[in-house]
Amino acid sequence: KAGVTQTPRYLIKTRGQQVTLSCSPISGHRSVSWYQQTPGQGLQFLFEYFSETQRNKGNFPGRFSGRQFSNSRSEMNVSTLELGDSALYLCASKLSGGTSGNEQFFGPGTRLTVL
Amino acid sequence: AQKVTQAQTEISVVEKEDVTLDCVYETRDTTYYLFWYKQPPSGELVFLIRRNSFDEQNEISGRYSWNFQKSTSSFNFTITASQVVDSAVYFCALSEASHTGTYKYIFGTGTRLKVLA
């Protein structure tokens, strides 16, 4: 079974630009979560989608948004990029929605650098 | 509020030594889940184990073992006879129901383990 895939793996943008990251979950998994990982803040939860609906949201500004498609693939968008948005963005999928404690499986991440 | 504390920022051991990574959590729920993940230099978090709050049995998987103690709110991870390939950052995580009834993950800050040859 293929794992979680994320594209692109690396991205360089400049301040003010916007970026879209993509995540394909493990086949059969309907829940997709996004995390931001930085050396200073660690792993921070962004949001979770299940059946195309946002189920949970972390404490990030509205510049961070996401969506999920009917095939469970998910995209994350960051508008008006700031230097502080430079981070590793990790996507994780799990079998069922937010009402269970299923383990999450992570993708390799997208490393975003904002110049 | 839920919280996960991994007090050890970095640990260095010599190959074949045993090492224990500590994890202390806080939660008000009676139903919750605890996890350990490994993040090698490649960046991808690898799932190691899940424990629910009603199962306090310790678990052993090869050189890995986990000790879950509700009385001290701890879920410690021991690697026996460490190897260089064990070098990674290890994260402990807690998942409990939010006010909406869905589960949210809270990760600790991670412990960087360096195993020296």
Side-chain angles (χ1 to χ4, degrees), chain A residues 9 35 37 43 45 48 55-57 88 90 94 98-108, chain B residues 33 35 37 39 42-47 50 91 95 98 100-105 107-109:
Chain A
R9 293 292 311 279
Y35 293 84
Q37 186 177 23
L43 270 161
F45 171 74
E48 178 191 6
R55 297 297 294 269
N56 275 309
K57 191 177 188 305
L88 179 67
L90 291 162
K94 61 180 181 176
T99 54
S100 81
N102 291 142
E103 56 271 25
Q104 298 182 105
F105 295 90
F106 285 80
Chain B
Y33 298 82
F35 306 82
Y37 286 85
Q39 186 176 39
S42 60
E44 183 172 339
L45 270 78
V46 177
F47 166 74
R50 177 184 80 152
F91 290 93
S95 175
S98 68
T100 61
T102 57
Y103 278 82
K104 290 176 71 169
Y105 271 63
F107 282 85
T109 51

Side-chain angles (χ1 to χ4, degrees), chain A residues 5 16-17 20 27 35 44-45 50 57-58 69-70 73 77 85-87 90-94 101 107 110:
Chain A
T5 58
Q17 286 187 311
T20 299
S27 178
Y35 293 84
Q44 302 279 304
F45 171 74
F50 177 73
K57 191 177 188 305
F69 302 95
S70 57
R73 191 178 70 84
N77 185 276
D85 296 333
S86 295
L90 291 162
C91 167
S93 76
K94 61 180 181 176
T110 294

